Amino acid sequence: MAVIGLGKMGISHLSMVRALPGVEVVGIVDATTYLLGVLKKYTGLATYTSIDKLLAAGKPDAAIVATPSRLHYPMVKQLLEAGVAVFCEKPFTLSGTEGEELVELAASKNLVTQVGYHNRFVGAFGEVKRLLDAGAIGSVTHGLAEAYGPVVLKPQGGTWRSKSTEGGGCLYDYAAHPLNLINWYLGEPVGVGGTVLNSIFSAEIDDEVSSTLYYDQGRTVSVSVNWSDESVRKMTTRITLWGTGGRIFADRQEIQVYLREDTTIPDGYQAGWNVRYTTELTESVDFYLRGEEYTAQLAHFVERVRTGAVDGENTFASAVVTDKLIERMIDDSKRGPSVRLSDAVIAPEPVAKSLPARVLDAARSGIKRVRALVSGGK
């Protein structure tokens, strides 16, 4: 295996993958020669300043790509064309079209692919999936997808994460995680609305994200993400789902489940409140760093490469669904609100023409009442 990109995540992946049984790191790639020199001195690993030089020395079975997001597409494409299985950090790409191209390229060569959405390997989040598949809370009616963290707490810049063209920002770096979980649980939404990408301290990227995801049968998921939140010590991802048979709340530490007496009660649960902790839901790993889920996802990838299992968790195809959802949210945020109290138009013209007269009359009447209240100072 080779590791490409030796920033925070690249160094972490390098440490973990070297501890996995049966894995040999045959090369590390980065543009920073000083960093390569230090690692070569203390690890003895072969170092390269480009993927071209890595491949010229010999093709690895697999590679980890942990470079800035805008570099994922060209680097992953080069590796796939060379017949190398790829584990890529999230977000997969900054373009759904480019992501789909890579999915097709990998499929044409029957290569194993995976993207680093590590939350799918957290015990509590995995238990949510199991309970939903078992029908424990019946039909999901509404959800809340959250992520908060103290990343940007003052005006700053200077790294790729502070530049929109590099794939930085709260939406790509933070919101992608709960969005990916919701896609895992409920599938791809049919629409998005009310998306706001708000800058709090940053000059050109978003620090706060809010949106609504729409599903069939009137189901919705509210999205609330903020990486300028000093009230939490580190990134905190939370998922809450309400259903006809109960409610589920989960974060990295635990899963809280309320089940109605008339719903399907899974083994190990009872009607009313249930609490299970990640520690009891998580299998041990060969090497612990940052959390069991990080090693677990790499072990999953390595085993798939070893056995040639193209299907698995967090494939490129599943990651593209998240990338395309992010694109739709960006487009939605640019359009802004479709209805303002100060506007005479009830809804965009194509929508208004399709509404029954009684609905339009009720809407106009309601807006008049609201305007009267506002003008009256109430």
Side-chain angles (χ1 to χ4, degrees), residues 127-349:
E127 184 70 356
V128 174
K129 175 66 172 172
R130 190 182 77 82
L131 291 174
L132 291 175
D133 290 346
I137 62 168
S139 299
V140 174
T141 59
H142 180 60
L144 175 62
E146 303 173 273
Y148 307 104
V151 177
V152 180
L153 300 177
K154 60 182 179 180
Q156 60 182 14
T159 71
W160 68 267
R161 285 186 171 85
S162 64
K163 302 180 185 299
S164 58
T165 55
E166 299 283 325
C170 183
L171 177 59
Y172 272 113
D173 205 42
Y174 252 49
H177 283 294
L179 291 174
N180 184 265
L181 284 174
I182 287 296
N183 285 337
W184 191 33
Y185 298 147
L186 303 181
E188 188 173 5
V190 298
V192 300
T195 305
V196 177
L197 305 180
N198 187 34
S199 296
I200 301 174
F201 298 109
S202 299
E204 61 172 284
I205 56 170
D206 49 282
D207 299 319
E208 186 176 52
V209 179
S210 60
S211 185
T212 300
L213 313 182
Y214 296 94
Y215 295 81
D216 56 7
Q217 300 176 337
R219 300 177 299 161
T220 60
V221 173
S222 301
V223 178
S224 176
V225 182
N226 186 320
W227 73 357
S228 297
D229 185 349
E230 194 175 9
S231 69
V232 293
R233 185 174 64 86
K234 61 180 182 179
M235 184 179 186
T236 301
T237 302
R238 303 169 182 165
I239 298 292
T240 309
L241 297 169
W242 288 265
T244 55
R247 173 190 173 188
I248 297 175
F249 167 84
D251 59 16
R252 191 189 178 281
Q253 283 69 45
E254 65 183 19
I255 177 172
Q256 302 172 11
V257 184
Y258 182 85
L259 299 174
R260 291 167 52 115
E261 292 185 356
D262 58 352
T263 193
T264 301
I265 307 294
D267 291 341
Y269 288 83
Q270 62 184 11
W273 280 107
N274 302 261
V275 179
R276 299 190 67 183
Y277 299 98
T278 288
T279 49
E280 64 181 290
L281 297 168
T282 302
E283 296 181 5
S284 60
V285 294
D286 293 294
F287 183 77
Y288 181 94
L289 180 67
R290 299 172 63 90
E292 291 92 347
E293 61 270 24
Y294 290 94
T295 299
Q297 67 174 351
L298 289 176
H300 178 72
F301 174 67
V302 167
E303 183 60 24
R304 289 175 58 216
V305 173
R306 182 178 287 126
T307 60
V310 174
D311 294 328
E313 201 60 72
N314 284 341
T315 62
F316 282 4
S318 69
V320 168
V321 176
T322 302
D323 290 346
K324 292 169 68 175
L325 175 55
I326 289 174
E327 282 188 315
R328 292 161 71 187
M329 292 172 67
I330 292 173
D331 290 341
D332 180 53
S333 71
K334 293 176 180 178
R335 287 194 295 269
S338 60
V339 180
R340 298 175 183 270
L341 290 180
S342 59
D343 295 339
V345 179
I346 302 301
E349 191 64 23

Side-chain angles (χ1 to χ4, degrees), residues 14 18 24-28 35-48:
L14 176 62
R18 292 188 76 196
E24 178 188 2
V25 177
V26 295
I28 53 178
L35 178 61
L36 292 178
V38 171
L39 287 170
K40 184 177 181 63
K41 177 180 179 180
Y42 290 102
T43 67
L45 294 172
T47 61
Y48 304 93

Side-chain angles (χ1 to χ4, degrees), residues 9-17 64 66 87 89 297-298:
M9 288 309 303
I11 290 290
S12 297
H13 288 317
L14 176 62
S15 301
M16 289 179 280
V17 78
I64 296 172
F87 177 101
E89 258 306 325
Q297 67 174 351
L298 289 176

